[in-house]
């Protein structure tokens, strides 16, 4: 049972999320032979105020 956790800064549209889930599921099926019915994909949208890089919050860039 593959479990994939995708974290992104900011928010995505429902369509973007759908495409990400479909793409990751298809990739695992094609490359690893994992059945789509067993693949879980979780998307976490992290507020840019709660994510830092290079000593600064992403919201400050």
């Amino acid at each position: 049972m593959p479990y994939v956790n995708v974290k992104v800064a900011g928010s995505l549209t429902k369509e973007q999320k759908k495409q990400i889930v479909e793409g990751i599921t298809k990739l695992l099926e094609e490359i690893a032979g994992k059945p789509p019915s067993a693949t879980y994909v979780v998307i976490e949208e992290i507020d840019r105020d709660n994510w830092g890089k290079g000593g600064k919050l992403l919201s400050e860039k």
Side-chain angles (χ1 to χ4, degrees):
M1 170 185 81
Y3 170 85
V4 180
N5 185 285
V6 179
K7 294 184 181 190
V8 297
S11 61
L12 299 169
T13 66
K14 185 174 181 178
E15 183 58 33
Q16 288 171 319
K17 293 176 195 179
K18 181 179 176 184
Q19 290 177 13
I20 289 168
V21 169
E22 288 173 351
I24 289 171
T25 301
K26 183 176 180 183
L27 188 66
L28 282 167
E29 180 181 26
E30 291 174 355
I31 294 175
K34 301 299 180 181
S37 61
T39 299
Y40 291 84
V41 180
V42 175
I43 299 172
E44 291 186 67
E45 297 171 307
I46 311 295
D47 190 288
R48 295 177 71 83
D49 286 338
N50 296 329
W51 201 321
K53 178 183 175 191
K56 293 185 179 181
L57 296 174
L58 293 183
S59 61
E60 297 176 329
K61 295 186 180 225

